[in-house]
């Protein structure tokens, strides 16, 4: 079992109070690592280091930054086996999702390597004679990243790479459930790639101790932006705090993602798409489908096939070959999912598949007739639970899909892609996939939510979030003034 240190100003350091905490394996319940229990003092040192590193990083020529990102991508690829093993041990992540995380991270790093060459502004005509006017993009300063445990590794990379590529420096606070794969491992790889000291700093903390670290982020003037991925409840707290502190915040939050299956769909394909969308990573991805809306004529056949498919998904040790359903992240998460399913069933929902725990895993579950009062009817479960609902037609499907406070991702399966495209444009979500399911991430595409699913977009479009636009004019001749 390894003992880790925090990464601040290019140094591996112990927590200022010299305390450690146990990082638990969610499948075995054993301690997989010992991690520093950082405090506000550590966050303060990390902000200092990021602020000190900012001027040189912001001024570094794009070719030099490019080389660093490309080296980091190569290291992620070289260390893929080790990352996969750590993701299984720390987050219960099975091989399929680990592969997705590693591939997406390397693609992100390789694409971000070129963002230093994106046009850095515009020349805009001025009406003032002899005046040349520019709108110039420039980095904003220190960005504080707060990352989650679910897509631990890829989301940590996304949290840091987007701001870094546009010339900002970072303090990353990973989730206490995944301090290694969502934080310290990223620091190790960036250190090995040769990123200068202070460009990325990682502060870890024991369960329940996020707030003092966030306090430091909000109270320090050097921190100009909070880049957060996590639940809508926490996002709301952070947005309120950011409002008071007048700091920017970028929020990638939860979803209640619908998958619509129209009557003309290829049902075999639709069943595969729904099984993947609902149960990949045991339903612990913000983009998992939470509700499948099926046009009435094909509902019974579709549900019968999906139920068989779900019940056959292999559950168990995430490190074992072929496992699809690993453990939920903590016993508390397992209790929450069990409680919410039981509550829906007590209120009249019918269990078509699953509906109970299997050790630290929860069986892939499909519920029908879920009453509107049950939490699962309209809130994300963060477990392998899918609500099935028949709809009379595509109009009703769109209406039900939009009847949620969330708006992250949606999928719509039909053999008529033109009709699918027209319907997609009416769905209130940041991402809609026609003839595909709800889970996708391509670094060049603008992933992000609307409504309670968040603000801001990842990828090159995040330039708007992670740069300031500065208006500069130069005047070639003296002008006149009205007083
Ligand atoms: P989950 O409930 O699934 O763990 P959260 O949104 O609570 O999701 O966690 C995502 C990240 O937000 C983690 O890094 C966690 O430590 C952090 N976090 C949780 N609560 C707060 C808070 N009040 N202030 C700052 N960060 C927080």
């Amino acid at each position: 079992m390894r003992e880790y240190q925090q990464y601040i100003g290019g140094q591996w350091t112990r927590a200022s109070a010299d305390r450690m905490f146990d990082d638990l394996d969610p499948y075995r319940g054993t301690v997989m690592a010992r991690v520093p229990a950082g405090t506000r003092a550590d966050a303060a040192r990390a902000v200092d280091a990021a602020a000190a590193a900012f001027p040189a990083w912001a001024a570094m020529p794009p070719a030099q930054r490019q080389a660093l990102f490309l080296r980091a991508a190569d290291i992620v690829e070289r260390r893929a086996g080790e990352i996969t093993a750590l993701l299984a041990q720390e987050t219960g992540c099975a091989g399929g999702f680990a592969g997705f995380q590693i591939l997406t991270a390397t693609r992100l790093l390789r694409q971000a390597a070129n963002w230093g060459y994106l046009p850095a502004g515009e020349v805009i005509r001025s009406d003032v004679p002899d005046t040349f006017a520019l709108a110039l993009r420039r980095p904003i300063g220190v960005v504080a990243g707060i990352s989650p445990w679910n897509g631990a590794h890829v989301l940590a990379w996304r949290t840091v790479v987007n701001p870094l590529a546009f010339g900002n420096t970072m303090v990353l606070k990973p989730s206490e459930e995944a301090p290694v794969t969502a934080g310290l491992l990223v620091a190790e790889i960036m250190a090995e790639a040769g990123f200068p000291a202070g460009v990325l700093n990682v502060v870890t903390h024991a369960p329940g101790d996020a707030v003092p670290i966030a306090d430091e982020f909000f109270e320090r003037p050097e921190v100009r932006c909070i880049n957060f991925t996590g639940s809508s409840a926490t996002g709301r707290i952070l947005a309120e705090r950011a409002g008071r502190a007048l700091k920017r915040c970028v929020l990638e939050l939860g979803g209640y993602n619908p998958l619509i299956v129209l009557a003309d769909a290829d049902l075999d394909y639709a069943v595969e798409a729904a099984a993947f969308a609902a149960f990949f990573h045991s339903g612990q991805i913000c983009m998992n489908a939470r509700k499948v809306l099926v046009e009435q004529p094909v509902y019974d056949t579709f549900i019968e096939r999906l139920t068989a498919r779900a019940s056959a998904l292999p559950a168990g040790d995430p490190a074992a070959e072929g496992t699809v359903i690993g453990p939920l992240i903590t016993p508390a998460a397992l209790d929450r999912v069990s409680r919410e399913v039981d509550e829906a069933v007590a209120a009249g929902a019918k269990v078509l598949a699953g509906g109970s725990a299997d050790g630290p895993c929860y069986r892939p579950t499909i519920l029908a007739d879920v009453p509107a009062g049950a939490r699962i009817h309209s809130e994300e479960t963060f477990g392998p639970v899918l609500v099935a609902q028949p709809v009379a037609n595509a109009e009703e499907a769109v209406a039900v899909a939009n009847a949620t406070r969330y708006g992250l991702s949606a999928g719509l399966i039909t053999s008529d892609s033109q009709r699918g495209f027209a319907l997609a444009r009416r769905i209130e979500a940041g991402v809609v996939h026609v003839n595909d399911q709800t889970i996708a991430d391509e670094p060049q595409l603008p992933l992000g939510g609307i409504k309670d699913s968040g603000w801001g977009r990842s990828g090159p479009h995040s330039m708007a979030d992670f740069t300031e636009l500065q208006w500069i004019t130069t005047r070639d001749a003296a002008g006149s003034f009205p007083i």
Side-chain angles (χ1 to χ4, degrees), residues 4 10 55 105 126 140 157 159 183 192 215 237 248 268 278 292 294 308 377 400:
Y4 283 84
S126 168
I140 49 183
W157 280 113
T159 301
E192 187 183 340
D215 288 344
I237 294 170
R248 285 188 191 189
D268 288 335
V292 64
V294 188
H377 182 269
V400 176

Side-chain angles (χ1 to χ4, degrees), residues 146-149 173-176 205 210-211 214 228-231 234 237-238 382:
I146 299 180
S147 66
W149 51 265
K173 186 213 81 58
S175 165
E176 54 269 57
H205 64 86
V211 172
F228 174 75
T229 301
S231 64
T234 302
I237 294 170
L238 297 178
F382 242 62

Side-chain angles (χ1 to χ4, degrees), residues 213-275:
I213 293 178
D215 288 344
E216 184 67 15
F217 295 161
F218 284 109
E219 287 172 30
R220 286 291 293 273
E222 295 90 334
V223 176
R224 296 306 317 144
C225 175
I226 309 293
N227 188 19
F228 174 75
T229 301
S231 64
S232 295
T234 302
R236 191 179 303 278
I237 294 170
L238 297 178
E240 283 173 6
R241 298 199 65 184
R244 273 201 303 279
L246 289 179
K247 294 188 193 299
R248 285 188 191 189
C249 66
V250 177
L251 305 170
E252 214 270 70
L253 308 176
Y256 192 78
N257 311 302
L259 179 66
I260 296 171
V261 178
L262 296 185
D264 63 0
D266 170 343
L267 281 198
D268 288 335
Y269 172 65
V271 165
E272 290 307 305

Side-chain angles (χ1 to χ4, degrees), residues 84 173 181 186 189 210 278 358 366 416 423 441 457 474:
T84 302
K173 186 213 81 58
T181 51
V186 169
I189 292 167
D358 173 6
I366 304 173
D416 181 347
L423 291 167
D441 190 357
R457 296 292 178 270
T474 56

